[in-house]
């Protein structure tokens, strides 16, 4: 999950699907110290989710906790009216000190904070394994989770998953709370191509079933409409979105001739790069694909491209951009997900990933008391009660229970926006998990967002019914991802290969040889020793 822009939209999808996201306030790096008490907030705060002693005993000492997250200073700031934030801070007897970061700089900021000893108490990171993570563990920069996580059952069930446990550090300890993607490894709508279905219909084009047919569809639209064939922000995403069935699991470790190796060392991966070069050289791939901050979404929405590589499940998040570029037009009437080209064996393999993407890590100097308080907050946010609260507001005020779903009390209010009423929801709905695959949609009208979401649900359901699981062993890959492998920039190399004329297999072989002495050989040896009997 390397495309930060697409992940931003992914979070927006979850919010838009429940009418939450339209805007944020101004930046402010000060903490919210609101206190107060209302019947509504007490009603919503009735259960910690961990079944332990009374909250007054659990959280008797007030704590200020610093948390770094995307645009948190816009969502949590001094003096704002936000009863949901007030309820949560009172519930856990904390004041949250927001430490701001953005999608464009979170990785660099985190590295700087770690190097300068300025990490907040808890922080977001996608460095949950690999070289940098191992350095932080070895240097004591991050703090391990408690050995006994039974006090936090909603988090424990995720931490105990095999592909999370497999990413434990060399000392056997867990150092991050996984931010869950879903409750399964198959994510068919996580990669793909959105294409202008109206142009396909106008030109009499059918869904392609081979690579040559795909090229013909893109070329016909590009020539007839005078547009780019396929635009993308990221070459790495093109591997999976366009060519996942050429090399299913190509980005993951594979067992080839009885030996585990990284997917980029396989012949299938080289074939993917060859086809990407073919698209680029034939003028069908956006020539600006490697330009930093290239706005692929904007090009597609403005009718400058026939298709776009993206996280197709974020189609709902593209509605505002589409509407702005095409007033009075619905994206659902003009755009669709292009079916995957079947593999050589005729199968359609489902894109897969770990159950989680990124996690919450803790400053190595944070006290046990602060860490446990933050874990209690994350545990509640991951509970059914917490999820309903951050996505739908305060029970009795904003919604009423209806079995395992909800009745939205704002259903008749035009343009109601929960994020404006409770700005903190834009942080709390992703602070613990992205989504657990649960949607509570009763009471929400037939909006364009819901129409698109229903379309996406249908595509996903059909894929799960007819698709094949990618040949990926997630336990093996979880362990492999925790190892240092040399740290070379494979996507940077592929970008050069796509745009150049070097022999692709030879270049990948040379890259592998260079990485062997930097940790790759040791990682390969460890994986094969540990999983020699696994497939």
């Amino acid at each position: 999950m390397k495309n930060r822009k697409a992940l931003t939209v992914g979070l927006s999808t979850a919010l838009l699907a429940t009418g939450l996201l339209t805007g944020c306030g101004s930046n402010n790096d000060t903490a919210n110290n609101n206190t107060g008490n209302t019947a509504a907030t007490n009603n919503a705060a009735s259960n910690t989710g961990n079944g332990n002693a009374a909250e007054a005993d659990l959280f008797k000492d007030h704590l200020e906790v610093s948390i770094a997250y995307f645009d948190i200073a816009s969502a949590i700031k001094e003096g704002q009216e936000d009863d949901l934030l007030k309820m949560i801070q009172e519930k856990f007897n904390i004041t949250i000190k927001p430490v701001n970061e953005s999608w464009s700089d979170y990785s660099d900021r985190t590295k700087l904070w770690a190097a300068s000893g300025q990490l907040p108490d808890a922080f977001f990171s996608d460095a949950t394994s690999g070289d940098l993570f191992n350095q932080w563990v070895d240097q004591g920069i991050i703090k391990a989770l408690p050995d006994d996580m039974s006090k936090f059952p909603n988090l424990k069930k995720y931490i105990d998953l095999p592909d999370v446990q497999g990413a434990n550090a060399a000392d056997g300890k867990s150092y991050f709370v996984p931010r869950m993607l879903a409750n399964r490894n198959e994510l068919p709508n996580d990669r793909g191509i959105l294409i202008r279905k109206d142009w396909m219909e106008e030109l009499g084009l059918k869904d392609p079933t081979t690579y040559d047919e795909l090229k013909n569809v893109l070329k016909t639209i590009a020539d007839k409409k005078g547009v780019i064939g396929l635009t993308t922000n990221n070459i790495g995403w093109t591997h999976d979105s366009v060519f996942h069935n050429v090399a299913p699991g190509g980005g993951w470790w594979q067992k080839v001739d009885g030996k585990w190796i990284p997917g980029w060392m396989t012949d299938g991966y080289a074939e993917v790069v060859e086809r990407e070069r073919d698209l680029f050289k034939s003028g069908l791939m956006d020539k600006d694909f490697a330009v930093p901050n290239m706005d692929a979404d904007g090009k597609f929405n403005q009718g400058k491209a026939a298709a776009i590589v993206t996280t197709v499940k974020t189609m709902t998040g593209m509605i505002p951009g589409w509407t702005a570029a095409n007033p009075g037009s619905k994206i659902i009437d003009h755009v669709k997900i292009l079916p995957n080209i079947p593999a050589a064996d005729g199968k359609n393999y489902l894109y897969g990933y770990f159950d989680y993407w990124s996690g919450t890590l803790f400053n190595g100097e944070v006290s046990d008391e602060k860490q446990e308080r933050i874990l209690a907050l994350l545990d509640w946010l991951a509970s059914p009660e917490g999820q309903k609260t951050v996505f739908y507001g305060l029970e009795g005020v904003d919604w009423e229970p209806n079995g395992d779903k909800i009745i939205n009390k704002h259903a008749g209010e035009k343009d109601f926006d929960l994020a404006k009423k409770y700005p903190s929801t834009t942080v709390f709905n992703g602070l613990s998990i992205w989504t657990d695959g649960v949607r509570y949609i009763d009471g929400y009208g037939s909006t364009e967002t819901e129409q698109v979401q229903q379309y996406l649900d249908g595509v996903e359901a059909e894929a799960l019914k007819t698709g094949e699981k990618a040949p990926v062993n997630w336990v093996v890959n979880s362990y492999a991802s925790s190892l240092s492998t040399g740290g070379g920039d494979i996507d940077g190399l592929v970008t050069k290969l796509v745009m150049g004329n070097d022999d692709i297999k030879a270049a990948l072989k040379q890259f592998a040889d260079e990485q062997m002495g930097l940790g790759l050989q040791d990682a390969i040896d460890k994986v094969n020793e540990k999983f020699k009997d696994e497939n």
Side-chain angles (χ1 to χ4, degrees):
M1 306 293 290
K2 298 177 181 177
N3 188 314
R4 300 168 189 165
K5 178 182 178 63
L7 281 161
T8 307
V9 180
L11 181 55
S12 301
T13 299
L15 304 180
L16 279 160
T18 51
L20 299 184
L21 181 68
T22 59
C24 298
S26 60
N27 286 332
N28 189 321
D29 237 0
T30 56
N32 185 314
N33 196 22
N34 288 336
T35 57
N37 197 4
T38 67
T41 56
N42 281 339
N43 182 33
S46 61
N47 193 312
T48 64
N50 60 25
N52 289 314
E55 292 176 14
D57 295 329
L58 282 173
F59 313 130
K60 62 181 180 179
D61 295 325
H62 182 81
L63 298 176
E64 181 181 89
V65 295
S66 57
I67 299 176
Y69 193 74
F70 304 111
D71 297 324
I72 189 173
S74 296
I76 298 177
K77 53 187 177 181
E78 187 175 5
Q80 72 186 28
E81 293 293 328
D82 189 330
D83 285 341
L84 191 146
L85 171 64
K86 185 184 298 183
M87 178 274 288
I88 289 177
Q89 292 196 129
E90 289 180 353
K91 180 180 182 66
F92 296 98
N93 197 13
I94 58 174
T95 295
I96 297 174
K97 179 182 179 182
V99 180
N100 217 46
E101 55 188 341
S102 70
W103 284 99
S104 63
D105 70 2
Y106 76 91
S107 180
D108 291 337
R109 280 201 186 199
T110 304
K111 292 175 185 176
L112 179 61
W113 292 333
S116 59
Q118 299 182 60
L119 281 171
D121 296 326
F123 61 98
F124 173 101
S125 179
D126 57 358
T128 56
S129 61
D131 298 341
L132 181 62
F133 175 82
N134 292 333
Q135 291 174 17
W136 286 349
V137 170
D138 292 342
Q139 297 169 14
I141 290 173
I142 55 177
K143 182 184 181 80
L145 301 181
D147 292 333
D148 182 6
M149 288 289 289
S150 60
K151 289 191 292 185
F152 315 107
N154 297 296
L155 300 182
K156 187 177 187 301
K157 69 179 181 180
Y158 295 136
I159 292 169
D160 287 347
L161 289 170
D163 61 354
V164 179
Q165 281 295 304
N168 281 352
D171 59 9
K173 294 181 178 293
S174 297
Y175 280 81
F176 67 94
V177 177
R179 185 168 286 102
M180 303 308 294
L181 283 166
N183 54 5
R184 61 172 186 270
N185 292 121
E186 289 74 46
L187 301 167
N189 280 358
D190 206 74
R191 298 287 193 276
I193 300 174
L194 290 180
I195 195 165
R196 289 292 297 265
K197 69 175 181 179
D198 53 350
W199 290 351
M200 286 185 67
E201 293 169 356
E202 176 188 333
L203 298 171
L205 298 169
K206 297 181 179 180
D207 291 340
T209 59
T210 67
Y211 172 62
D212 288 339
E213 289 179 4
L214 172 64
K215 284 184 64 178
N216 179 64
V217 167
L218 296 177
K219 180 172 175 53
T220 300
I221 299 177
D223 290 346
K224 296 294 184 180
K225 294 293 182 179
V227 298
I228 299 164
L230 180 70
T231 188
T232 176
N233 280 308
N234 186 294
I235 193 65
W237 277 49
T238 309
H239 304 336
D240 299 321
S241 297
V242 186
F243 302 114
H244 179 63
N245 276 326
V246 172
W252 304 100
W253 283 60
Q254 302 290 301
K255 200 169 192 179
V256 179
D257 296 330
K259 184 178 182 180
W260 288 102
I261 58 173
W264 56 264
M265 291 178 65
T266 64
D267 289 342
Y269 188 87
E271 184 180 350
V272 167
V273 178
E274 288 172 359
R275 294 197 179 187
E276 288 171 334
R277 174 185 282 179
D278 183 47
L279 281 180
F280 182 77
K281 296 290 187 179
S282 63
L284 295 176
M285 184 186 292
D286 194 334
K287 63 180 178 60
D288 294 329
F289 80 88
V291 175
N293 302 316
M294 196 273 287
D295 185 11
D297 286 359
K299 289 186 177 183
F300 182 72
N301 288 333
Q302 294 162 26
K304 297 178 181 178
I308 181 173
V309 169
T310 187
T311 302
V312 295
K313 67 184 178 185
T314 66
M315 188 175 171
T316 51
M318 295 179 68
I319 292 174
W322 175 272
T323 302
N326 306 276
S329 170
K330 290 185 177 181
I331 193 171
I332 193 68
D333 295 331
H334 298 271
V335 176
K336 71 173 183 178
I337 299 171
L338 194 65
N340 295 328
I341 297 171
D345 58 10
K347 295 180 179 179
N348 178 31
Y349 292 97
L350 301 172
Y351 177 76
Y353 201 79
F354 296 135
D355 281 319
Y356 64 94
W357 179 78
S358 74
T360 297
L361 282 66
F362 292 89
N363 187 334
E365 301 298 323
V366 72
S367 68
D368 291 345
E369 185 180 22
K370 279 192 176 185
Q371 185 185 48
E372 291 210 355
R373 193 73 60 90
I374 295 170
L375 287 171
L377 168 63
L378 295 178
D379 185 74
W380 179 79
L381 289 173
S383 72
E385 178 196 355
Q387 285 289 284
K388 288 182 179 180
T389 301
V390 298
F391 276 101
Y392 299 99
L394 301 176
E395 181 178 355
V397 176
D398 304 294
W399 60 276
E400 297 287 355
N402 179 27
D404 63 348
K405 296 187 178 181
I406 64 99
I407 298 298
N408 174 23
K409 300 185 73 169
H410 301 289
E413 300 176 25
K414 184 180 180 181
D415 300 326
F416 174 77
D417 182 2
L418 198 72
K420 289 182 179 179
K421 184 176 183 181
Y422 308 125
S424 61
T425 56
T426 60
V427 166
F428 289 132
N429 57 41
L431 190 60
S432 186
I433 59 178
W434 288 120
T435 173
D436 197 23
V438 176
R439 298 187 180 95
Y440 312 96
I441 61 173
D442 280 16
Y444 287 86
S446 184
T447 63
E448 182 181 2
T449 297
E450 186 172 2
Q451 292 172 19
V452 173
Q453 188 61 57
Q454 288 173 346
Y455 166 67
L456 295 173
D457 290 347
V459 172
E460 182 178 78
E462 182 62 23
L464 289 170
K465 183 171 64 175
T466 61
E468 298 278 341
K469 290 185 177 182
V472 178
N473 187 314
W474 294 108
V475 174
V476 173
N477 272 277
S478 179
Y479 174 75
S481 73
S482 73
L483 304 174
S484 299
T485 58
D489 182 7
I490 185 65
D491 279 350
L493 171 62
V494 171
T495 296
K496 293 178 181 178
L497 291 173
V498 168
M499 300 176 73
N501 298 303
D502 290 346
D503 183 282
I504 291 172
K505 286 188 176 181
L508 290 171
K509 174 64 166 57
Q510 180 180 346
F511 178 81
D513 291 342
E514 293 169 352
Q515 299 304 302
M516 288 298 182
L518 301 175
L520 179 58
Q521 184 64 65
D522 184 54
I524 290 174
D525 291 343
K526 288 181 178 178
V527 172
N528 281 278
E529 180 181 357
K530 188 175 181 68
F531 298 105
K532 61 182 179 180
D533 296 325
E534 294 284 340
N535 290 306

